[in-house]
Amino acid sequence: MSKPTPDVYEQGKGMDAHNQVMREIRSRKEASYDPHEPTRVWLDEDNTPGGVKTSLTIILNTGGCRWARAGGCTMCGYVAESVDGGSVSHEALMDQIDVCLAHEAENADEPADLIKIYTSGSFLDEREVGAETRKAIGETFADRERIVLESLPDFVDREKIADFAGHGIDTDIAIGLETATDRVRHDCVNKYFDFADFEDACAEAAAADAEAGDVADAGIKAYLLMKPPFLTESEAVADMISSIERCADVSGCHTVSMNPCNVQRYTMVDELYFNDGYRPPWLWSVAHVLEETADVDAIVVSDPVGHGSDRGPHNCTECDDLVQKAIKDFDLRQDPSVFEQVSCECELTWDTVMERERSFNQPLTR
Ligand code: SF4
Ligand SMILES: [Zn+2]
């Protein structure tokens, strides 16, 4: 039997239909980027197991995700921001880190407690970020409290985590699990790994945590995708609730970040959206999932990107900002009563969509 991996496209096996469509869509992009500049960098604050912290978020430009080059996930447009065709050298990656440190020095009073590094792929994949660079970045941030590193589960192992935890930095690995349901991850998201791989990565993080002893903590932050294409609103909500519950039950996974799907350029979701086949989730759905899962044994947060716009998670436009604000309040306080204070006439429409939308008639509203 064929096993889906990032290499399948070379062998003509596996999830070929989705990958073929995604390769064609992605090939329409024309931009190229400077390997000495990060894709993006910004300052913010975040809820962590150690409380609310100032954060510096870095999107490193590493040449992009190998899975995206194979075709990749149906909602992900990140490859459109990657360096064309290849890997980025150690020197160029360290230049990118320097640009980020300069940005922080200019815009913040003091160094952020929390560093988050995303790569539009896997920071722990040695073909994106080699061991030399990984160790140098560990040293650069040795004086910070906490670091979040993005990776697919295959590349997570305790030694790589030790390059950071060994300096006394609490280390979280952010994994784009998307959903705990393998069928939905494979067929709606077109992501190749299984929930069992996520559980293995959590076990590696738990082992790294034990090895680091009192010096540092290590754990997993799961990123879930609220409403991948091909699911109705109610199916998406049910899938998210069970996914959050299953992630919170895995030892080593302490935080779940639920990301409502938004419509990015050069993706299958964009094609569906353009042809009236996809609507991003309602913010009421996001609020409902957060309320329903408030008592799980993990921090659950959500940051609806592009909220209130047609291509992002939205309600009726009247109440979007209000519900978004309640979601952000919930992120910081984990108190579901914040949602009791928001209401709008469009809740009736949402109720109807939840009850009546079926795969063959979706989306029932825009
Ligand atoms: S979501 Fe992650 S794994 Fe999927 S194509 Fe994008 S970067 Fe690659
Ligand atoms: Zn409304």
Side-chain angles (χ1 to χ4, degrees):
M1 222 172 87
S2 73
K3 187 169 174 2
T5 74
D7 301 316
V8 287
Y9 75 103
E10 290 158 13
Q11 303 157 13
K13 299 191 268 188
M15 305 156 112
D16 252 12
H18 273 355
N19 279 338
Q20 211 173 347
V21 174
M22 284 302 299
R23 278 207 300 282
E24 195 282 314
I25 295 171
R26 283 189 211 281
S27 70
R28 295 176 208 156
K29 62 123 186 173
E30 277 174 355
S32 67
Y33 293 83
D34 181 353
H36 299 271
E37 292 281 334
T39 301
R40 267 194 295 281
V41 55
W42 70 91
L43 292 154
D44 203 351
E45 28 177 57
D46 274 70
N47 196 353
T48 74
V52 177
K53 305 279 181 200
T54 54
S55 62
L56 176 70
T57 302
I58 296 169
I59 303 194
L60 273 188
N61 199 347
T62 61
C65 168
R66 274 171 19 97
W67 183 235
R69 270 182 251 151
C73 305
T74 52
M75 75 306 181
C76 171
Y78 283 164
V79 78
E81 296 173 347
S82 304
V83 175
D84 276 334
S87 55
V88 178
S89 69
H90 170 71
E91 287 71 26
L93 286 169
M94 295 315 289
D95 285 348
Q96 293 184 35
I97 295 289
D98 286 344
V99 170
C100 297
L101 290 171
H103 174 87
E104 180 185 44
E106 261 170 49
N107 295 286
D109 296 337
E110 45 190 51
D113 297 327
L114 171 67
I115 304 294
K116 300 197 287 182
I117 306 182
Y118 303 95
T119 70
S120 308
S122 290
F123 182 89
L124 298 181
D125 181 350
E126 302 253 346
R127 288 158 297 195
E128 280 188 58
V129 179
E132 181 190 10
T133 315
R134 187 174 66 239
K135 288 174 198 296
I137 292 176
E139 273 162 32
T140 302
F141 294 116
D143 58 341
R144 312 296 176 113
E145 276 181 36
R146 191 169 205 104
I147 196 161
V148 178
L149 304 166
E150 177 184 39
S151 181
L152 289 166
D154 339 12
F155 307 112
V156 178
D157 73 46
R158 60 196 81 181
E159 286 84 23
K160 291 177 189 166
I161 296 175
D163 286 338
F164 299 86
H167 289 289
I169 321 169
D170 293 335
T171 306
D172 295 324
I173 309 302
I175 296 182
L177 174 67
E178 317 305 356
T179 162
T181 316
D182 287 338
R183 174 92 204 270
V184 174
R185 190 177 327 94
H186 295 163
D187 292 349
C188 300
V189 185
N190 195 39
K191 210 165 229 190
Y192 62 89
F193 62 82
D194 292 337
F195 189 67
D197 299 316
F198 171 78
E199 291 176 307
D200 290 347
C202 289
E204 285 295 311
D209 184 62
E211 277 168 23
D214 293 338
V215 178
D217 293 330
I220 299 285
K221 184 174 180 183
Y223 281 74
L224 301 181
L225 179 73
M226 170 71 182
K227 203 174 176 189
F230 313 118
L231 294 188
T232 63
E233 196 77 19
S234 60
E235 287 169 343
V237 165
D239 181 60
M240 247 334 78
I241 291 172
S242 79
S243 294
I244 291 171
E245 289 169 351
R246 287 179 67 189
C247 288
D249 279 348
V250 181
S251 141
C253 173
H254 57 62
T255 303
V256 180
S257 177
M258 168 180 48
N259 299 307
C261 189
N262 60 66
V263 182
Q264 299 179 7
R265 298 285 311 280
Y266 306 109
T267 63
M268 192 186 287
V269 168
D270 191 32
E271 296 271 297
L272 289 165
Y273 169 82
F274 187 72
N275 291 294
D276 292 332
Y278 181 77
R279 182 208 193 275
W282 286 73
L283 288 170
W284 291 129
S285 297
V286 177
H288 177 70
V289 171
L290 293 174
E291 267 181 310
E292 290 293 308
T293 55
D295 57 356
V296 301
D297 184 18
I299 295 177
V300 182
V301 294
S302 182
D303 183 14
V305 171
H307 81 279
S309 77
D310 208 44
R311 299 173 74 91
H314 63 277
N315 289 344
C316 69
T317 69
E318 293 284 304
C319 63
D320 288 326
D321 283 348
L322 215 61
V323 182
Q324 171 83 357
K325 188 167 174 299
I327 292 167
K328 297 296 272 182
D329 277 0
F330 179 88
D331 287 351
L332 296 180
R333 296 198 281 132
Q334 300 283 292
D335 176 2
S337 72
V338 295
F339 298 117
E340 287 165 16
Q341 291 146 30
V342 285
S343 65
C344 180
E345 281 176 7
C346 73
E347 272 176 284
L348 185 62
T349 314
W350 174 72
D351 279 336
T352 309
V353 168
M354 287 288 283
E355 196 184 317
R356 304 216 171 156
E357 189 174 72
R358 300 284 179 272
S359 310
F360 60 80
N361 71 5
Q362 67 162 319
L364 201 53
T365 62
R366 296 294 291 179

